Amino acid sequence: ALQKASDLEKAFATVALVYNNSADPKGKLSKAETKNLLQTQFGTESSGQENKPKYQEIISSLDEESENKIDFEDFMILLVSLSLMSDLLQEIRNVKTTK
């Protein structure tokens, strides 16, 4: 189904697939599972961000002892937030301007 998909559609499908492979049958992750998934799948981009207050706030919110689970929407918000804090966007801009 993704053979004719755009790069953006493929990227989104990859994120959804990674999330769904880790989620429970109801499509949710515990906060600990979310933190682990972000650190293992997005660790390269979040590396070096540990001293930023917003990064610490996001990660510490996942350490809270709570029965609350993260759904896909919340996961995407966390992923976008971490992406915006990382150097990923600047690196992409640098690649685009050097072509």
Side-chain angles (χ1 to χ4, degrees):
L2 290 176
Q3 291 174 347
K4 295 181 181 181
S6 69
D7 289 343
L8 188 57
E9 289 168 322
K10 289 175 185 174
F12 187 79
T14 299
V15 172
L17 181 63
V18 168
Y19 178 88
N20 285 334
N21 285 339
S22 298
D24 67 17
K26 293 182 179 181
K28 297 191 177 201
L29 293 172
S30 71
K31 289 185 175 185
E33 291 167 330
T34 301
K35 181 179 177 181
N36 183 54
L37 185 61
L38 289 170
Q39 289 177 328
T40 59
Q41 293 292 320
F42 203 65
T44 304
E45 289 310 319
S46 60
S47 179
Q49 308 303 309
E50 297 87 358
N51 294 325
K52 293 183 177 179
K54 187 65 179 171
Y55 177 87
Q56 290 175 345
E57 180 184 330
I58 289 170
I59 295 302
S60 68
S61 72
L62 297 174
D63 286 333
E64 294 173 358
E65 292 297 323
S66 175
E67 294 299 316
N68 293 337
K69 295 213 171 191
I70 303 292
D71 62 15
F72 185 68
E73 280 184 35
D74 292 334
F75 179 77
M76 289 301 294
I77 291 168
L78 289 170
L79 187 60
V80 169
S81 297
L82 292 174
S83 297
L84 292 173
M85 282 186 283
S86 75
D87 297 326
L88 178 62
L89 293 178
Q90 187 57 49
E91 289 175 21
I92 291 169
R93 288 182 186 120
N94 290 342
V95 169
K96 183 177 178 184
T97 57
T98 58
K99 286 186 176 181

